[in-house]
Each structure stands twice: as C-alpha cells, then as structure tokens.
Amino acid sequence: MKAEEDRLFYEVMGKGPPLVLIHGAWASHEWWRWLVPELARNYQVISPDVRGHGQSSPLTHAYSVNGFAKDLDLFLQSIGIPEAVLVGWSMGGIISVQYGLNYPSRVKALILIATRGHHNNKLKRRMILQYLRARLGLLMDFTAPRRYDRASGGFPGQKLWLEREVRKMLSPSASKEVQDWVMSDVRNNPRENYLEVAKSIWNWGAGKKLKGIKVPTLIMVGDKDTRTPPRFSRRLHATIPISRLVIVEDAGHCLPLEQPQRVNEEIIKFLKDVGY
C-alpha cells in the first residue's frame, strides 16, 4: 500500500511458491506463529496484518469484505506476487473467498480454516451482544476505582470477560501454552476497532457464488468449534466444486494454534496433491 494512511504491515519467511496467510478478526500475523516455520521450509510465507489489526492502518469506520480483498490485491501487486495460494482462518477465510471470486486468475488454490461462505443470520446479534457486554463490564469497573489491579494492569470484570471469550474460542483440550498466549495477546492488544470490524463482515455471504470458485480448495475445521461450527464447513464443501473437507478432532475455533502440526500436515499434503 502506498499511502501512509493505508499501510499494511507484513512479514515474509522462506523461499519458494508464495503462501499468503490471512488471520481472523481481532488477531494479527502473530496468530500464525506455530505454522510459519514448518511451511517456510518449502514456501515463501507472507503474513500480513489485515487493515484495522496488528501494525496495519486502523479502521476508523466500518469497512467491507470487498475492501479487505482490494487491500490484499494492492498489497500483493506492490510486492510483486502475481498469483498465490491463500490460507485464510476465520475472517481471513471470508476475505480469501471474496478475493478468489474477485480475482480468480490470481489464485492457485484456497485453504479455508474455521470459516464460513454463507450469510450467518445470528452473527450480527452475537457480535453486538459481545461488544455491549465488554463495554458494560469495563464501565462497571471504572465506577469502582479501588478494583483496579495494578499487577495485571486492568480491571477484574475486563479480565473475566476476556477469559470467557478465550474459552469459547478454544477446545477443552487446548494446551495451557496456547491458552496463556491467546490470553496475553488479547490483553496486550486492545481491540478498539471491535465494532467496526464486526460491521465489516456480519452481513457478508457469498452463497451460490461459491459455485464459481474453480480452484482446488481445502476446508478445515475443528469438531469442537462453536464460533464457526463444522456445519458451516460442510456447507462450504457442498457448494465449492473442487473441495476437500477435513474435520479435526478435539480442536476449537483456534485450530491453527491448537493443532499446528496437524494443520501443517494437511496443508502440505494438499499442496503436493495439487502440484504446488
């Protein structure tokens, strides 16, 4: 991206055919940390921060999935990548699908992890409730200054809300290392853009247009995912013509963090099978 107000931060590791990893909502390129080293042995792994996330430009108002896809296209052109395989997790999967629909000649294959392709009628209500609960909890803590915890640098209500949200994203079998890392990232990176990001994606759905995706597509989801349940992935698989579905046991929404070795194995096998 050229203008300072439209900057996209990214990291590159490895050499070979390009793999572009697109993270989920309120995450960053850091959420791929357990996958990148192995993938970078044979591929050029490019991990951008989506607009409004990490070290990229903030979102000052609601954006759109088409806007995120356009950002990605301008970014890839700016670093000289004419075509690539996109690996999208959660919101990153939504962006990957839209990119594949908008720029089909620039996509070699799609890998969609814990995501959806159709409109989710319940998403808007759930996100608004999440936002209101977070703001209300913080407001209630501010009215009781003595409750501020100097050791943790926060308020008890805020901490409890974060812990509940993290538990919903992870499966019961997630390691303590992963739980602690996700909690630390969520605590240390304020989500000021929460509502703007939510507004940008909650009305999106590709629906029947998914039949127009002609590239090989790998779809993965954890069987314990409550954010994007396996039924979303089954519907994707039933709609995208050349697709493979993998349901991973004992994994939640943060599948790339919980079971990185399994995810990498499936990605590498898929890419070898399609000759990439």
Side-chain angles (χ1 to χ4, degrees):
M1 312 293 283
K2 294 181 179 179
E4 175 61 25
E5 63 269 19
D6 287 329
R7 70 185 186 279
L8 286 188
F9 176 86
Y10 68 100
E11 288 192 346
V12 179
M13 182 180 292
K15 294 181 179 180
L19 282 183
V20 182
L21 311 186
I22 309 168
H23 62 76
W26 313 297
S28 72
H29 72 282
E30 290 283 353
W31 287 55
W32 297 109
R33 56 171 46 212
W34 278 281
L35 266 65
V36 170
E38 177 67 22
L39 294 175
R41 292 184 178 183
N42 296 297
Y43 298 98
Q44 180 187 24
V45 182
I46 304 163
S47 311
D49 283 342
V50 175
R51 182 190 294 267
H53 299 75
Q55 300 177 54
S56 290
S57 295
L59 273 179
T60 55
H61 54 79
Y63 209 46
S64 70
V65 177
N66 273 313
F68 289 132
K70 181 64 174 177
D71 281 351
L72 179 60
D73 186 53
L74 291 173
F75 162 66
L76 292 178
Q77 287 187 54
S78 72
I79 62 172
I81 303 295
E83 59 181 9
V85 170
L86 303 186
V87 183
W89 166 63
S90 195
M91 183 183 76
I94 289 173
I95 296 170
S96 298
V97 167
Q98 192 63 59
Y99 187 89
L101 291 171
N102 292 357
Y103 312 99
S105 65
R106 301 174 194 176
V107 179
K108 296 290 289 184
L110 291 173
I111 298 173
L112 309 176
I113 305 172
T115 191
R116 63 182 174 90
H118 299 79
H119 183 252
N120 180 4
N121 295 324
K122 298 179 180 179
L123 185 62
K124 181 175 181 178
R125 180 175 178 273
R126 176 168 65 80
M127 286 183 162
I128 290 175
L129 286 175
Q130 282 180 318
Y131 177 76
L132 292 176
R133 285 169 183 161
R135 303 306 296 175
L136 180 60
L138 189 57
L139 176 63
M140 291 176 69
D141 278 326
F142 269 121
T143 63
R146 292 181 181 178
R147 297 181 66 196
Y148 183 81
D149 185 354
R150 294 182 180 277
S152 66
F155 293 90
Q158 186 180 28
K159 179 182 177 182
L160 290 173
W161 178 81
L162 287 172
E163 289 175 348
R164 282 195 298 269
E165 291 305 305
V166 168
R167 280 197 295 270
K168 292 175 184 176
M169 292 171 64
L170 299 168
S171 71
S173 59
S175 70
K176 187 176 185 303
E177 178 188 9
V178 168
Q179 293 180 41
D180 290 346
W181 185 86
V182 173
M183 180 62 70
S184 174
D185 182 81
V186 172
R187 282 176 180 162
N188 296 329
N189 296 284
R191 270 59 177 174
E192 293 94 344
N193 297 318
Y194 185 103
L195 197 57
E196 285 71 27
V197 172
K199 288 178 181 177
S200 302
I201 64 172
W202 64 31
N203 288 322
W204 180 85
K208 293 180 180 179
K209 293 179 182 178
L210 292 167
K211 294 180 179 179
I213 294 178
K214 303 302 182 183
V215 296
T217 302
L218 172 63
I219 302 164
M220 276 190 283
V221 66
D223 66 344
K224 302 297 191 300
D225 189 338
T226 59
R227 290 302 189 210
T228 52
R231 68 176 183 276
F232 291 0
S233 291
R234 291 191 180 98
R235 195 175 181 190
L236 265 176
H237 175 49
T239 313
I240 297 176
I242 312 171
S243 62
R244 176 189 302 176
L245 174 63
V246 176
I247 299 178
V248 180
E249 294 183 358
D250 298 322
H253 189 58
C254 294
L255 178 57
L257 295 176
E258 291 188 47
Q259 297 201 28
Q261 183 176 354
R262 173 68 186 280
V263 171
N264 274 342
E265 287 174 355
E266 294 293 345
I267 289 175
I268 293 169
K269 180 178 184 299
F270 170 75
L271 293 176
K272 287 182 177 179
D273 287 348
V274 300
Y276 192 73

